[in-house]
Amino acid sequence: MQRINAIQNHVDNKASVAAKETLTIVDNRTGKSYEVPIKDHTINASDLKDIKVPGGPILRSFDPGYMNTSCCVSRISFIDGDKGILRYRGIPIEQLAEHSCFEEVAFLLLYGELPSTKQLQGMKQAMMSNAHVHEDIVRIIKCFRHDAHPMGMFCAVMASLGTLHPEGNPVMQGQGLYKNTSARNMHALRILGLAPTIAAMIQRHRAGQPFTGPNESMGWTENFLCMLDKFTEPNYKPHPKLVRALDILFILHAEHELNCSTAATRHLASS
């Protein structure tokens, strides 16, 4: 009996190895069958274009709300909320939260690998050198009521940045801009540098407080807290424990995977 079971297991294993990663679809309208490849537990919706009745329209998939649709393959992050798994570029979030700073994680997400000491220093300098806002941004923020919703203010101000940098506008520079790696890197660093400054200015505007500019000698997170809380102290520095706690929080939220806002931005940018 043991020998029979062993033979059966051997046959079953061979059968599983021989199984093809495909989906067979039978069109009952025509009687034709179609074999669609399966990759990463997903079929390509474009493969359904081959299925149609003679002289009729192609077959399409319909999925309101993206309830069961993938629109890209991400090599940036992986998340499984049910299992508590989050990885950036294959590295567990626990390791990054314990051993890395936000600037290091930002470099990892943008360029696919952790930076060297020299690269990290360059990343920090690039982010902080882009932290200064144009005076027009100051005037825009002051135009809002003090009780305006901070996210509405933030979205409006971030959108206005496009008017200050025509070199980043594909309408003016051409569609080749999307393939320009140096241009993409420049704008990514510009957003990373400006976002905390704008957020801090909005908070201080809502509190009726004067704006505090960025301090390039500080780290990204430390500078953000300083812009939020500094008043007249000439050598003000946020508490290191608060800086580290917020830095870890920023690391945890650095990559949003393909959520609703990310999908919407991809659609908007590709139109």
Side-chain angles (χ1 to χ4, degrees):
M1 181 61 68
Q2 291 180 346
R3 181 172 176 78
I4 293 175
N5 289 337
I7 294 174
Q8 182 63 46
N9 290 335
H10 180 70
V11 172
D12 291 342
N13 289 336
K14 288 189 66 176
S16 63
V17 171
K20 294 192 295 183
E21 288 291 310
T22 61
L23 173 69
T24 299
I25 301 175
V26 178
D27 188 346
N28 292 325
R29 301 170 300 174
T30 62
K32 291 183 178 180
S33 63
Y34 302 83
E35 193 168 311
V36 179
I38 297 175
K39 184 178 180 181
D40 298 325
H41 307 287
T42 305
I43 65 169
N44 192 327
S46 296
D47 291 336
L48 300 179
K49 293 193 298 184
D50 296 331
I51 304 175
K52 63 179 181 178
V53 297
I58 62 175
L59 187 67
R60 300 182 185 274
S61 60
F62 179 62
D63 186 15
Y66 274 0
M67 299 304 292
N68 191 38
T69 296
S70 299
C71 66
C72 78
V73 176
S74 175
R75 297 178 179 86
I76 299 175
S77 72
F78 173 79
I79 185 169
D80 189 329
D82 294 336
K83 296 180 179 179
I85 298 173
L86 175 61
R87 303 189 189 105
Y88 293 165
R89 300 288 190 177
I91 301 176
I93 193 65
E94 296 85 354
Q95 294 182 19
L96 295 172
E98 183 175 359
H99 302 292
S100 298
C101 61
F102 178 79
E103 296 93 330
E104 192 173 11
V105 172
F107 187 99
L108 170 69
L109 292 172
L110 285 172
Y111 306 117
E113 59 185 9
L114 289 170
S116 64
T117 301
K118 183 178 180 180
Q119 288 173 325
L120 179 58
Q121 185 60 33
M123 183 71 174
K124 290 180 177 180
Q125 291 176 352
M127 291 170 64
M128 291 307 301
S129 65
N130 280 288
H132 301 275
V133 299
H134 193 284
E135 187 62 27
D136 287 350
I137 298 299
V138 177
R139 287 193 286 266
I140 290 172
I141 293 175
K142 288 183 176 180
C143 287
F144 287 100
R145 286 180 54 88
H146 73 280
D147 57 352
H149 195 286
M151 185 52 71
M153 297 170 67
F154 186 79
C155 290
V157 175
M158 292 299 290
S160 71
L161 292 177
T163 66
L164 301 176
H165 302 286
E167 71 277 7
N169 190 336
V171 174
M172 303 181 69
Q173 303 299 325
Q175 294 298 307
L177 182 66
Y178 291 116
K179 299 179 180 180
N180 188 325
T181 303
S182 61
R184 291 201 309 268
N185 290 340
M186 178 184 66
H187 292 298
L189 292 170
R190 179 176 290 152
I191 291 172
L192 286 169
L194 287 172
T197 305
I198 292 170
M201 292 173 67
I202 289 172
Q203 173 57 28
R204 292 181 74 101
H205 175 66
R206 298 182 79 244
Q209 300 168 351
F211 298 147
T212 297
N215 184 340
E216 291 191 33
S217 67
M218 292 184 174
W220 191 83
T221 302
E222 183 184 29
N223 171 67
F224 176 57
L225 285 173
C226 182
M227 291 189 294
L228 284 175
D229 298 331
K230 181 180 177 180
F231 284 97
T232 59
E233 307 92 331
N235 299 313
Y236 175 80
K237 275 184 171 291
H239 195 285
K241 288 187 177 180
L242 292 178
V243 173
R244 183 56 184 158
L246 185 58
D247 203 55
I248 293 174
L249 185 63
F250 282 145
I251 289 173
L252 294 175
H253 290 272
E255 162 57 25
H256 279 205
E257 206 206 17
L258 194 65
N259 61 4
C260 295
S261 58
T262 308
T265 301
R266 283 173 55 87
H267 281 289
L268 178 65
S270 62
S271 63

